[in-house]
Amino acid sequence: MSSISPQPGIMDISLYKSGESRIDGVEDVVKLSSNENPFGPSDAALEAFRKSSAQLHRYPSTDHRELREAIGEVHGLDPERIICGVGSDEIITFLCQAYAGPRTEVLYTEHGFSMYRISAQAAGATPVVAPERDRVVDVEAILAKVTKKTRLVFIANPANPTSTMIGSNEIARLADGLPKTALLVLDGAYAEFVDGYDGGAALVDQRQNVVMTRTFSKIYGLGGLRIGYGYGPQEVIDVLNRIRGPFNLSKTQLMTAEAAVRDTEYTEKCRSENARLRAWLAKALAELGVPSDTSCANFILARFTDEEEANACEARLRSDGILVRKVAGYGLPNCLRITVGDEASCRRVVHSIAGFKGRRE
Ligand SMILES: *Cc1c(COP(=O)(O)O)cnc(C)c1O
């Protein structure tokens, strides 16, 4: 008997869990569960967003030239080798669709971002997980898991939810250690938070097997609008463009992202404010007996004695109107991921955790 059924692998996909945004009965919720920019987008981006409303009857450009050129100018990238998508999630999806499939493997690490697994399974590929070393990506461990079937290796640098990163030499060693049949994908969702870091762009320029993804959802404060991009060798970008829908991005997305990326002064302000508040938050929590690895991103991964204490602290934060992210699903049951909010939010977090620990601040 035949029946309608999805492709193999589809039913194995566990739905993506996003950070919560509501607490019943609480009005002024502090949302620190999705690594959003607490200051929102820049005024220039908002102005472009509003302007786009005059053109809603027009189809958007299909080649995204203006946005690609703006990204190229600001980040020193070749615009011909940029592809824009509906968040960097769409670029990850394109990569899996184009290069992975049944009887191939997609590699990522122990605490890696959950979209790698979901996109690999959606393409019918087999997800393979390499261990990390104390919440840090381990290049040797990844290379040990590579097989003839490996097509894609995903690494976020800095990584989510660990907040740690590895050096450019390590990344280069990984790229050089891969067989010719595998592409290395550097997910640079948090690259802008690292002063002077290019997200792996130079490595992309020097190699034929490295792709970088970036997003407007984090430092640019545009998670709600859904814009990201990929940068890679010409051949790879040409492949991805074949499966990209011609109108995947609206005029509103394109115009807003262009204004956002050009407002480098605002980006710089967000970077320095994040660094300042992140250091303050990490130190205050450490003094309360809640350590975290040195963060390279816009969140910290707070460590507790065990899962029970992490869950109890999450419940306390919640009852104080603060949402953070549980990360047991990422193999980190004794941790909570806390986005660096504005100053008032950071103070509320410390106040709440101090209360939980029965301490004075
Ligand atoms: C937030 C995040 C992204 C961004 O995804 P978008 O689809 O661009 O919103 C990508 N990778 C990682 C690791 C992230 O944490």
Side-chain angles (χ1 to χ4, degrees), residues 8-327:
I10 303 289
M11 296 313 290
D12 300 330
I13 298 174
S14 330
L15 290 186
Y16 181 85
K17 282 205 191 73
S18 68
E20 289 178 87
S21 55
R22 301 170 39 139
I23 305 173
D24 285 341
V26 181
E27 296 254 315
D28 62 334
V29 172
V30 177
K31 187 185 178 212
L32 303 174
S33 54
S34 296
N35 299 341
E36 294 151 341
N37 183 336
F39 309 109
S42 81
D43 288 341
L46 286 172
E47 178 62 24
F49 178 87
R50 279 186 217 103
K51 268 197 185 150
S52 76
S53 70
Q55 308 214 23
L56 292 182
H57 57 304
R58 302 284 180 208
Y59 270 93
S61 101
T62 57
D63 66 6
H64 308 154
R65 173 166 307 282
E66 289 172 21
L67 175 56
R68 287 188 294 105
E69 284 177 352
I71 293 168
E73 265 174 51
V74 171
H75 293 295
L77 308 179
D78 173 5
E80 296 304 320
R81 292 188 284 123
I82 294 173
I83 177 171
C84 303
V86 180
S88 48
D89 282 357
E90 193 179 34
I91 309 298
I92 295 170
T93 302
F94 290 159
L95 284 161
C96 288
Q97 218 183 317
Y99 291 102
R103 295 171 300 284
T104 71
E105 294 172 353
V106 172
L107 230 172
Y108 51 88
T109 61
E110 190 180 353
H111 308 300
F113 187 45
S114 58
M115 283 311 298
Y116 309 149
R117 180 185 186 86
I118 291 174
S119 293
Q121 288 177 315
T126 305
V128 176
V129 182
E132 298 192 14
R133 199 176 352 96
D134 296 332
R135 300 171 301 281
V136 180
V137 165
D138 180 345
V139 166
E140 290 310 319
I142 294 172
L143 289 173
K145 290 279 184 183
V146 171
T147 73
K148 279 186 292 196
K149 293 184 192 165
T150 309
R151 293 291 173 274
L152 295 163
V153 177
F154 283 100
I155 300 240
N157 203 39
N160 172 22
T162 57
S163 81
T164 61
M165 74 184 291
I166 60 173
S168 298
N169 293 346
E170 288 284 282
I171 301 270
R173 200 156 61 83
L174 175 56
D176 293 340
L178 294 178
K180 286 197 160 41
T181 41
L183 259 181
L184 172 61
V185 184
L186 297 175
D187 180 337
Y190 302 96
E192 294 87 357
F193 293 104
V194 184
D195 208 6
Y197 176 53
D198 70 355
L203 205 67
V204 172
D205 289 339
Q206 293 154 9
R207 302 280 191 294
Q208 284 306 302
N209 66 339
V210 184
V211 176
M212 169 181 78
T213 63
R214 301 283 282 264
T215 183
F216 284 86
S217 302
K218 303 287 156 59
I219 208 164
Y220 296 107
L222 291 170
L225 204 55
R226 314 301 305 128
I227 316 136
Y229 63 96
Y231 182 62
Q234 194 69 62
E235 294 81 10
V236 174
I237 299 303
D238 290 346
V239 166
L240 302 184
N241 268 321
R242 285 167 197 269
I243 51 177
R244 178 177 67 80
F247 302 111
N248 64 327
L249 290 180
S250 68
K251 243 184 169 51
T252 302
Q253 287 166 301
L254 293 166
M255 289 173 71
T256 310
E258 185 185 340
V261 76
R262 288 194 186 281
D263 193 348
T264 51
E265 201 177 310
Y266 183 73
T267 311
E268 186 49 46
K269 197 187 111 198
C270 293
R271 177 183 12 255
S272 64
E273 197 61 359
N274 175 69
R276 179 178 77 84
L277 291 167
R278 180 180 64 196
W280 182 84
L281 179 64
K283 182 161 178 280
L285 293 188
E287 284 167 5
L288 292 170
V290 180
S292 53
D293 297 313
T294 301
S295 170
C296 301
N298 66 338
F299 57 89
I300 64 170
L301 185 70
R303 291 203 306 279
F304 296 85
T305 318
D306 51 27
E307 179 165 17
E308 197 184 342
E309 194 194 23
N311 286 343
C313 186
E314 193 271 344
R316 170 61 183 255
L317 285 160
R318 181 181 293 268
S319 73
D320 289 338
I322 303 162
L323 285 172
V324 301
R325 186 70 168 266
K326 286 183 173 182
V327 283

